[in-house]
Amino acid sequence: VADDLEDADFNDEEPLDTYSLISYCVSLLASDAWQKLGLVAGPNAGEAQADLKQAKVAIDAVGELAAHLEGAPPEAIPENLRRELRVLMQDLRLNFVAQQNKPQ
């Protein structure tokens, strides 16, 4: 999802459709979730730092937005992107549980 959005030209004169905007939000929130899980360093941080409460909020928000994309018409969201969203959600959730169960 994120790679496809990097290729999008957001400066075109034609307005973006809502599904593209939702996909963009998913990309931003998923990046934040990985950072809050402590698995990726933030852009201003020297090292990765976990904040599991915020990670949960980000993951839940990604899940809600992904549900809207799953319900989109087939021409709006191709099957390969839907599959990527499902994999993303599974990865985020599994990593959240792993980080929760990690000894402090």
Side-chain angles (χ1 to χ4, degrees), residues 27-42:
S27 175
L28 290 174
L29 287 165
S31 293
D32 185 60
W34 290 118
Q35 291 172 27
K36 298 299 192 285
L37 285 169
L39 300 173
V40 175

Side-chain angles (χ1 to χ4, degrees), residues 17-73:
D17 67 286
T18 302
Y19 296 115
S20 295
L21 290 172
I22 293 172
S23 294
Y24 181 66
C25 291
V26 165
S27 175
L28 290 174
L29 287 165
S31 293
D32 185 60
W34 290 118
Q35 291 172 27
K36 298 299 192 285
L37 285 169
L39 300 173
V40 175
N44 298 328
E47 60 184 55
Q49 297 178 348
D51 183 337
L52 296 182
K53 288 182 181 180
Q54 287 192 41
K56 182 178 182 337
V57 172
I59 293 167
D60 289 346
V62 170
E64 289 292 322
L65 292 172
H68 286 289
L69 294 176
E70 281 284 340

